[in-house]
Structures are given as C-alpha cells and as structure tokens.
Amino acid sequence: MLDHKNLLLNRILLNGDWEITHLDGENPFSKSLKITGNVPGLVHHDLVSQGILDDPYEKMNELDQQWVGGSTWSYEKAFWLKEEDLDSKSLILHFDTLDTVTEIKINEDWLGSTDNYFLQHRFEAKSHLKVGENRITVVIYPASLEMNKRAGEYPLEIYSVAAREWFPKVKNFLRKPAAHGGWDWGPSLNPQGIPGNVYLEKKDAASIRYVTHSQIHSNGSVQLEVTVHYESVVRGDFEMEVCLDEYCFSKTVKIDQGIGSCALDFTIEDPNLWWPVGLGEPYLYDLRVRLDFQENSDTYHQKIGLRELRLLHQKEHAGVAMFFEVNGKPVFAKGTNWIPTDIFESRIKEEQIRWELESAKAAHNNMIRVWGGGRYERDVFYQICDELGLMVWQDFMFACAMYPVNESFVREVKKEVTHQIRHLSHHASIALWCGNNENEQAISWEECSGKEVLKEQLLQEYHKLYVDTIHPIVLAEDPSRDYWPSSPSNGIGIYEDAQDPTRGDVHFWSVWHGQKDFSYYRTCKPRFSSEFGFGSLASEETMNPYISKDQRFIDSEQFEFHQRSNQTGADGNQRIKDGILREFGKFDRYESTIYLSQALQMLAIQTACEHWRRCMPYNMGTLIWQLNDIWPGSSWSSLEFDGRWKMLHYAMKRFFAPTLISCFEEGKNLCIWLTSDCIQKTEGIVRVSLCDFKGNLLMKKEYPASTSFNKSYEIVKIAYSELEDFGMRKQDSYVLVQYFSNDDSEVSRSIHLFDNYKELSLEGANVRVGLRKMESQVEATIQSENFVPFLWLKQGVAAGTWSDNAFHLIPQEKVLLTFSPRRFSDLELFQCSHMELNSLYLD
C-alpha cells in the first residue's frame, strides 16, 4: 500500500458521487433513468439504495432484474483542477477496477477502453485536462454482448459452465468473474459499474507501481532482494532506500524514462519467521521503500513475512506425495475454499472479511483456497490472512471451462497474471499459484466425450494457456513460490487422469453428486483433497428476511429458487431430504428441516475429514468446500451469508483440532485412532467408556498413548462381541472415547453411536439450562438426565459464537459454555428468555 502522506500529495481522488444514466437496453421504467450513484460502486447497488430496485437477493427478484446487467450505462463526474494540478509532467487517470467492457472519455475526448476486470487501468490524461471544470465519462457495455461476439469469432466451440439459462454459456471469452453469471451456489446478476477507487496521479519523477521481493534462507539468515517496479517521466540517478523494521539500506540507482525496475539486496541474520496456524507466530516485518529524485519522492509501505513455503510433489514407493512444507516442516493443510462474500463487491466491508477469516482460524483452519471462478480478493483479505497465519492457495481466475488461446486473449492473460503476481506476491500468506479450477478435468467432460480429435486440440490449447503462458510468468515473477497447473491435477504435463488419488489433488464429489453413503468417503485415500462438500440449508435467521412468510418451507418456489445446486442436474433440496430420511427418518417443520440438514452436513464432512486425517502422512491436505456464502441460500458452506456459524463450523473446530481422537466401524470392530499435527509431543491415556443412554457405565478401559507431529495411528480395535458382553445394545448405548494428557486434562473426545440415528431409543432428557449475562459474554451451564444427540443452542438475532455447539450431551455431565458476541450491540440483543435448544429428541 502507498504511504498515506504520499497518497494525499500525489493523488486527486475522484471517488464519491457520480451521475449514472441508463443509455441503452431494456428499461422497465417509462422515463429515462438517471440517478446519483457512488464510486466505488455498482449499478445494482445504487438502484437498490435509492429504492428504485428491491434487493435482488429477496424472493425471486433476480428474475426481473436481468435488464440491469444487460443494459449500457454511463458514469459521469465533474471535477475541478487548479493551475498547480496541471504543473505536473504527467497526470495518470487510474482505475483500481472496472467492470468490465468500458470506454473512457475526458472532456469528450476518447481516452481508452477496457475489457478486463482483473487489471488496474491507467491512462495518460494530462493533454485532455484543463484548469477549472473537467468531466470524466465511463460508458459500460453489457458483458454478454462482448462474450457472444468473441465466441462467434472463435474457430472452436469451447465449453463453459452456464449456471442460468439466460446467461451466455460463453462467459469464458471475457475476463470477468465467472460467478457473476451465477454458479451452483449463487445468483446470476452480471453486475456492472466501477467497484474500485478512481484517482488522478500527479507524476514529476518516478512513481512506485509495485514492490516485490525474493528470499533465500540459509544457515539461520535470510538474503532479501527487494525490487521496485516503477513508472518514470524522467531519467537520472535516484536514491533508493529500503527499511525492514529497524534495518535500513540504501544505494543510488539509475532510472530511465518509462516502465522499469531496480533492486537492492541485503541479509537479515537470525530472522523472526512467519508461521501458519498451529506451527508458530505469523511474524510480520514492516517494509518501507523510498525513491528520491531532487525534490521528488515516492514511498511504499507493506508488511512481509520471512518464510520458506513450498509445495512438494515427489515420487515415493506408493505413488507421488503432495504436501506443503513451511520453514522445513511438513504441514497437513486443514482448511476451506473461499468464494466471493457478495456478488456486489463494492458493498463488502472489511469487518465481514475479517469475521469470516477469523472464524476459519477459530475452527483450526490453516489454509484458505481462493477459488478460480470468483475474483482476486482485495488487499485487506490477504493482509488479514498474513496476520492470522492462514496460508492461501491462490487460483488464477479460470474455472470449469476451456478458454480461448488466440493472440489477443493470451496477451491479456499475460498482463493480468503479471499484474496480480506483482500486486500480491509480497503477502506471506500466499502459498501457491494455481492455474485454474477444474479446467484440466473439463477436457474430458461430457461435451468432449467421443470427440477424440476435438479432445486432442483442447488439450493442446489447455497446455498453451496454463503451461506455456502462465507457468513461465510465475517462474520469472515469483520463483520462490510453486505453481500447480490446475485443481485437480497430477502436476505439470501429466494428463492421464486429473483425479488420480495417488499423485495429486482431487475434488471428491462422489457423496454429494454421486449420492453415495457417507461411509464412501472412507474408500478414497487421496494425496490431497482440495475440494469436497455436502449441502445444507441456511438458518431461518439468515433466510427469513429474503423469503416471504407464506414461502417458508423447503418445497416453496422461493426457497427452491435459493437452492442453486439444482442447476447442475443435482436436485439439491431433494438430496438433502433423502439424506435426512436415511439418517434421521423424519422431517416436518421448516425449522426442524433446516436443523436436520445442518446435522446431516456435519456428519458427512466429519466422516471425510476424520478419515483423511487418519490417512496422514499419505494424505496431507483436506480443504472443505466451502467456507462462506455469496448470498442467502442453500449451499455447501460452513458460514452463512450473514456470517452465522452452521453446525458444521462448530464440528470443524473439533475435527480440525491439533489433536484428534476418532473412531469408526470396520466390519464387526470399533477402531479407535489418535491423530496429531501438533508440534508438541504429549504422553497420556485413551479412556474408552461404554455407557447406556441413562448414563450407566457398562465398561471402562484405558490404553497408554502418545502423540507426535504429523502422526496418526490406531490405539485399539475392539470387537463388537466384547462390547456386547458388557451389555452394549445398538439402540441405546454409546462409547465415549477421550484422550487425556499426563496432567489429566482432556485433549480430545469422540462419541460413537452403534445405530442409525433414526433407530435410537431416545427418551425424555430433562435438559436443565442456566444462563448468566455478563459484561462481555453470556455463560450457560447445561446438564441432562439422558443422552441428547446434536444439542444445538440458538440465540436468535444476536450474532456471535458459542464456545461449543452442535454436540452430543452425555448424561449427568455438567457443561459450561460461553457466548461471545460478534459486536457489543449483539450482547444487548441477546435475550436469555428467547434462547432455544434443539436436538434430535427435543425437536
């Protein structure tokens, strides 16, 4: 980021009020449409804020608002310049983001055009400006027109996912977020506007565009080379100064006019290293860079972390291992996939991004995968990941499609990839550059089956884009990071089977899309699972503001409209209902169906994650699809659109914990495993207690156990016949498995039931709850006479999190929980009398 003082001196900000006019296309209003909107902003957002449109997420409003994204709009702003503003040698008009196909004029003079959402756009504007009033005009054209035009000119018909029937299936021809046209978890609204900052930049010498660096770690020291990428309007000797915390270094560099770079290298002894979640502190250094020339100076400031972070893909006796290594330590990647938090980028607040990322860390995530059908996230996203110690698997923005490789498209990709690497690579959190999402796999999708000639041509075009074009740029711009060509993939140039579990990452969708039983997860043993999920419904607190009162049931037209998994041929709500009937045997009311759907999702993902963690170190990564939602709807997320934790997110806090005790059935045996990715070794015992639902202890056994870093092993295998000898009955017995460290503190626990939930003999539980509202949180004590499965505490409209939730409450155990509000105002909203308890029995 630029130094704040430098920004004020050298920039004339053009944000704020702009006139937005509907120029062409369908318009449901009888008169011309002109409003005062905001920049940064989007047309939809401004139309809603002024009461012209209803919220597009409400009801089925999306259907009636397609005209907005299908129209031509102009943005205009008048601004005033003084004589001293025009004294600069150069005045650059800068756009952080333009969405997407635009033409720009100043004072009616044509300045330039754009067609790439993922680039910053800069135009020399001085000759078009004058003292006094000036006017800037940005005309934004419908993206769909340009997509169709380019697809019609391309010699090959290439496939792209079309999430809604009204959005072009050729959105792969334009560099615009694919999710803008809808996905199987979000709406199709094709937003348009100016979602980033706009300013004039005054230049009399050199301005710093990017600061990048490379690191070489050796024998307890780090050799740093800091590179300044500049634009200069003069030629001469500049003083370059680089400071890293209290260390400062400088030298004289020769700078030419135009675009160029200069570098300075130095060594830091005994550095504080950046570590991801679970391995240490994510220490960040303050990096400051300055270029001085006569009376002119430009400065740049950013936070960087010193670390070695590699993706290792190496042959071994059982295939090809795939894992991340940080500062010499192998890391089991535990995390989630990230999609845009709102289709309207301009209304996303930093507080929302921080809440979702802090929620990920709270659930022991150490990696976030930024999915390739959205957008490169704004700077604050990566800054927060740096601070929290969250590694970022960064896709380039290509998803679920083949893409053109004509000269103009490849040229645009080269500019985009170079810009994004230079812009983002200083972030310690970025662990990997990945070419795309599922495009390698897309070569073999249905549209290409049986067409071997076409398939071979598609493979050549794929290779040209991701191997011949993008990979060399990564090597040149950021050699300290690794490049993975696609997700899923076997690696660069290996095209036999993108889903080969023995040699790369996999997207395992056989349970949701393939409608397999949850136990099917245990048949798959991948090297790295980068995508898998199971859908659920969002809570009534999230959904009700967007659904009419008479539509609040799962089969209603509006509720179905907010379930987008239907678009891929998968009837999402029906699959959820089928799973509920299979596992729980019932659903009736709106609220109980939502509750059961979330319990179902939690069971599915817990089964997968516990299994893949037990496969460590053969498997070294599990990234759940998905962390967040783009709108209020049914999806695979663990956080709802408003940031509310689903049952899955609470479970994630348990099954992603550094030390995990888990159990599962194998044949006629109960298998108990201990897994740890915690650096600290521990010694202790595993206690196995067989109880009935009234809390009577039928059996207790203890086994010595210990944990080691990245170690998983079986503690004991107990035959069913032995448990039956102690009085185990499938319908009303459970096993409580606990791992205690030597100081007798419980580190992890697991509860195993022997029958389907619908067959359990559940009786009146008589759950007793005590609540105490304190200065900054709420305390709850909970106790039950009988076994209560999936106890769920609902606090209504107050946003926040419980210390634990969605757990099995065992008889006679007194549980102390705390509720931490998201904001202080949420504590005031918390009404003890309104708190509800749900469970399979209580429901």
Side-chain angles (χ1 to χ4, degrees):
M1 57 184 178
L2 283 170
D3 179 85
H4 180 64
K5 186 181 294 185
N6 178 78
L7 184 151
L8 294 176
L9 290 173
N10 296 330
R11 292 184 182 181
I12 300 169
L13 200 61
L14 300 180
N15 289 354
D17 291 342
W18 287 57
E19 293 178 359
I20 303 177
T21 305
H22 181 266
L23 295 182
D24 186 43
E26 181 183 348
N27 181 345
F29 305 96
S30 57
K31 57 184 179 180
S32 62
L33 183 59
K34 178 179 288 190
I35 63 171
T36 298
N38 194 61
V39 170
L42 294 164
V43 176
H44 277 95
H45 192 193
D46 287 317
L47 292 175
V48 171
S49 65
Q50 298 192 26
I52 296 171
L53 289 182
D54 292 330
D55 190 324
Y57 293 172
E58 288 181 7
K59 304 173 186 176
M60 299 168 66
N61 292 340
E62 174 190 345
L63 295 172
D64 298 326
Q65 295 183 9
Q66 295 303 305
W67 65 273
V68 180
S71 295
T72 301
W73 299 86
S74 76
Y75 276 70
E76 288 190 273
K77 183 180 182 68
F79 60 97
W80 282 259
L81 295 177
K82 301 174 184 177
E83 284 190 17
E84 54 264 35
D85 294 324
L86 296 176
D87 286 343
S88 300
K89 290 185 172 65
S90 171
L91 276 168
I92 301 292
L93 178 62
H94 175 103
F95 296 90
D96 277 349
T97 313
L98 282 170
D99 194 358
T100 294
V101 181
T102 75
E103 288 186 346
I104 300 103
K105 294 180 179 179
I106 285 185
N107 297 326
E108 298 302 319
D109 294 340
W110 189 85
L111 199 64
S113 60
T114 75
D115 59 5
N116 191 330
Y117 177 98
F118 305 119
L119 278 175
Q120 294 178 344
H121 299 283
R122 294 166 64 81
F123 305 93
E124 176 57 63
K126 182 177 178 180
S127 63
H128 304 280
L129 295 167
K130 60 186 179 181
V131 175
E133 182 178 352
N134 293 265
R135 181 166 289 270
I136 179 174
T137 304
V138 179
V139 178
I140 303 175
Y141 298 97
S144 57
L145 294 181
E146 186 65 20
M147 293 171 185
N148 284 317
K149 173 179 175 291
R150 295 184 182 189
E153 295 169 350
Y154 198 67
L156 186 66
E157 182 178 352
I158 52 178
Y159 174 79
S160 174
V161 168
R164 298 302 290 185
E165 61 275 12
W166 57 77
F167 198 81
K169 203 175 180 180
V170 290
K171 55 187 175 181
N172 47 331
F173 280 85
L174 190 63
R175 301 306 296 141
K176 177 176 170 67
H180 282 180
W183 217 262
D184 54 3
W185 33 253
S188 174
L189 285 159
N190 190 24
Q192 297 189 91
I194 307 177
N197 295 314
V198 183
Y199 56 85
L200 284 168
E201 180 184 340
K202 298 187 287 186
K203 287 172 46 177
D204 285 302
S207 60
I208 301 173
R209 289 294 314 280
Y210 314 95
V211 173
T212 61
H213 70 272
S214 63
Q215 306 177 21
I216 299 176
H217 291 247
S218 177
N219 299 322
S221 66
V222 179
Q223 182 181 341
L224 275 168
E225 182 178 67
V226 176
T227 300
V228 171
H229 303 267
Y230 61 78
E231 284 180 342
S232 184
V233 293
V234 297
R235 178 185 292 111
D237 291 338
F238 282 66
E239 190 69 15
M240 176 181 177
E241 182 182 67
V242 177
C243 293
L244 190 73
D245 281 0
E246 70 275 16
Y247 307 103
C248 288
F249 309 88
S250 64
K251 74 173 186 178
T252 301
V253 294
K254 291 189 178 296
I255 283 182
D256 290 326
Q257 283 182 296
I259 295 172
S261 64
C262 54
L264 190 155
D265 62 273
F266 53 92
T267 299
I268 300 296
E269 301 291 344
D270 193 25
N272 294 313
L273 298 180
W274 184 93
W275 292 95
V277 172
L279 292 185
E281 291 301 313
Y283 187 88
L284 294 173
Y285 283 88
D286 190 28
L287 178 67
R288 303 178 305 281
V289 177
R290 190 173 78 246
L291 280 181
D292 287 334
F293 179 75
Q294 298 176 359
E295 300 300 319
N296 297 289
S297 178
D298 199 15
T299 60
Y300 207 94
H301 166 239
Q302 58 189 206
K303 296 282 190 177
I304 70 169
L306 303 183
R307 86 291 182 276
E308 288 183 293
L309 208 170
R310 304 306 303 254
L311 175 69
L312 299 182
H313 191 230
Q314 54 195 31
K315 290 184 178 180
E316 59 178 30
H317 66 280
V320 184
M322 177 177 177
F323 62 95
F324 288 90
E325 184 181 80
V326 182
N327 301 326
K329 293 187 180 296
V331 179
F332 187 97
K334 301 178 295 188
T336 43
N337 284 260
W338 176 277
I339 64 173
T341 56
D342 197 311
I343 201 169
F344 303 116
E345 179 183 0
S346 58
R347 68 181 186 185
I348 300 172
K349 294 180 171 56
E350 178 179 341
E351 183 269 341
Q352 181 181 357
I353 296 173
R354 182 171 291 278
W355 171 262
E356 292 178 350
L357 291 173
E358 287 181 344
S359 294
K361 181 179 179 179
H364 303 293
N365 284 214
N366 60 20
M367 177 168 280
I368 301 290
R369 175 177 173 241
V370 178
W371 170 76
R375 53 179 169 255
Y376 306 96
E377 285 296 328
R378 62 179 67 172
D379 290 345
V380 70
F381 170 90
Y382 301 97
Q383 291 164 11
I384 295 170
C385 288
D386 291 345
E387 296 167 14
L388 297 179
L390 289 169
M391 296 180 289
V392 175
W393 171 311
Q394 179 66 55
D395 283 2
F396 290 111
M397 292 300 117
F398 304 87
C400 298
M402 303 310 296
Y403 284 78
V405 291
N406 50 13
E407 184 180 348
S408 59
F409 191 87
V410 170
R411 183 171 59 248
E412 201 67 20
V413 168
K414 287 179 178 179
K415 289 191 295 183
E416 172 189 323
V417 171
T418 300
H419 162 66
Q420 292 296 341
I421 293 175
R422 290 181 178 180
H423 182 65
L424 297 175
S425 63
H426 72 275
H427 289 287
S429 54
I430 294 182
L432 179 73
W433 300 109
C434 179
N436 63 76
N437 173 78
E438 295 186 353
N439 294 1
E440 185 175 314
Q441 184 181 358
I443 298 169
S444 300
W445 284 352
E446 183 179 352
E447 279 69 12
C448 304
S449 60
K451 303 176 183 177
E452 291 304 321
V453 175
L454 174 60
K455 192 171 180 179
E456 182 62 30
Q457 186 172 354
L458 292 176
L459 182 57
Q460 292 174 5
E461 296 202 348
Y462 172 90
H463 191 91
K464 178 179 179 180
L465 189 58
Y466 302 107
V467 179
D468 295 341
T469 300
I470 295 178
H471 187 206
I473 298 174
V474 174
L475 288 174
E477 296 290 339
D478 193 11
S480 66
R481 282 188 182 88
D482 292 291
Y483 175 71
W484 193 244
S486 182
S487 182
S489 177
N490 297 321
I492 296 173
I494 306 171
Y495 299 124
E496 289 87 358
D497 176 12
Q499 291 275 37
D500 184 348
T502 69
R503 60 184 310 134
D505 67 316
V506 301
H507 290 188
F508 193 77
W509 285 101
S510 298
V511 172
W512 174 260
H513 288 299
Q515 298 178 276
K516 302 287 188 181
D517 186 78
F518 297 164
S519 62
Y520 194 74
Y521 281 119
R522 292 199 288 267
T523 68
C524 178
K525 191 177 179 182
R527 287 303 193 160
F528 197 108
S529 182
S530 50
E531 207 183 286
F532 63 99
F534 196 90
S536 69
L537 312 178
S539 68
E540 55 266 38
E541 288 82 8
T542 293
M543 292 303 301
N544 284 356
Y546 300 92
I547 304 289
S548 302
K549 285 186 177 180
D550 62 351
Q551 292 280 306
R552 292 172 187 171
F553 57 96
I554 190 171
D555 294 320
S556 75
E557 188 178 27
Q558 289 181 22
F559 204 92
E560 283 277 4
F561 189 74
H562 285 74
Q563 166 62 275
R564 291 304 166 86
S565 182
N566 302 341
Q567 298 166 191
T568 56
D571 188 338
N573 286 347
Q574 187 59 51
R575 291 188 177 182
I576 291 171
K577 289 190 289 185
D578 290 345
I580 290 173
L581 287 174
R582 183 184 69 244
E583 297 293 332
F584 306 122
K586 62 170 185 177
F587 61 86
D588 43 37
R589 296 180 293 109
Y590 173 60
E591 295 85 355
S592 65
T593 304
I594 291 172
Y595 163 80
L596 291 171
S597 79
Q598 293 199 11
L600 186 75
Q601 178 191 37
M602 178 175 68
L603 277 175
I605 303 306
Q606 179 174 327
T607 301
C609 290
E610 289 185 347
H611 166 63
W612 287 327
R613 288 193 70 190
R614 286 192 296 265
C615 293
M616 182 174 64
Y618 184 89
N619 173 275
M620 284 298 285
T622 173
L623 306 181
I624 300 166
W625 185 272
Q626 67 214 59
L627 177 67
N628 56 330
D629 266 334
I630 199 170
W631 79 323
S634 305
S635 80
W636 300 274
S637 71
S638 64
L639 301 177
E640 298 177 8
F641 178 60
D642 64 357
R644 192 177 302 268
W645 287 25
K646 289 183 179 178
M647 296 172 78
L648 169 59
H649 207 81
Y650 283 101
M652 196 189 305
K653 202 176 163 185
R654 298 188 289 268
F655 62 65
F656 271 173
T659 299
L660 171 72
I661 194 80
S662 63
C663 44
F664 64 99
E665 297 179 20
E666 185 178 67
K668 293 294 184 180
N669 299 296
L670 180 65
C671 303
I672 298 172
W673 282 61
L674 185 61
T675 302
S676 179
D677 51 43
C678 186
I679 292 179
Q680 291 76 26
K681 295 182 178 181
T682 63
E683 300 283 341
I685 62 164
V686 170
R687 181 178 300 159
V688 182
S689 304
L690 175 67
C691 306
D692 64 22
F693 281 177
K694 295 184 181 297
N696 297 311
L697 181 64
L698 306 177
M699 180 205 80
K700 183 170 75 171
K701 291 192 174 185
E702 294 184 349
Y703 306 88
S706 62
T707 67
S708 297
F709 181 50
N710 287 347
K711 181 179 180 183
S712 185
Y713 67 103
E714 186 176 75
I715 297 294
V716 65
K717 186 178 290 184
I718 305 176
Y720 269 18
S721 57
E722 180 181 351
L723 295 171
E724 289 169 344
D725 289 343
F726 283 102
M728 182 270 282
R729 295 186 302 273
K730 293 180 65 176
Q731 291 85 359
D732 65 356
S733 300
Y734 66 91
V735 165
L736 170 65
V737 184
Q738 298 161 286
Y739 174 61
F740 293 92
S741 60
N742 274 344
D743 62 2
D744 206 33
S745 59
E746 183 184 278
V747 179
S748 180
R749 70 162 52 186
S750 179
I751 293 174
H752 182 78
L753 298 168
F754 296 95
D755 212 340
N756 288 342
Y757 288 90
K758 64 183 178 183
E759 304 296 341
L760 299 179
S761 299
L762 299 171
E763 301 181 9
N766 189 23
V767 178
R768 298 182 296 279
V769 181
L771 293 171
R772 186 162 66 109
K773 203 168 181 179
M774 304 172 70
E775 185 176 342
S776 61
Q777 61 185 20
V778 178
E779 281 190 354
T781 55
I782 303 178
Q783 199 167 7
S784 171
E785 292 181 0
N786 292 329
F787 183 78
V788 180
F790 298 125
L791 185 68
W792 179 241
L793 287 71
K794 289 181 58 180
Q795 67 275 5
V797 296
T801 59
W802 289 96
S803 53
D804 199 6
N805 209 346
F807 57 90
H808 295 328
L809 181 64
I810 63 178
Q812 311 311 323
E813 183 176 47
K814 192 173 185 179
V815 178
L816 175 64
L817 303 174
T818 57
F819 173 79
S820 300
R822 183 170 174 178
R823 312 169 193 87
F824 183 76
S825 58
D826 288 303
L827 187 62
E828 298 174 348
L829 292 173
F830 191 105
Q831 298 295 322
C832 294
S833 58
H834 292 170
M835 198 189 79
E836 299 178 27
L837 296 179
N838 279 342
S839 80
L840 293 187
Y841 169 77
L842 293 171
D843 182 67

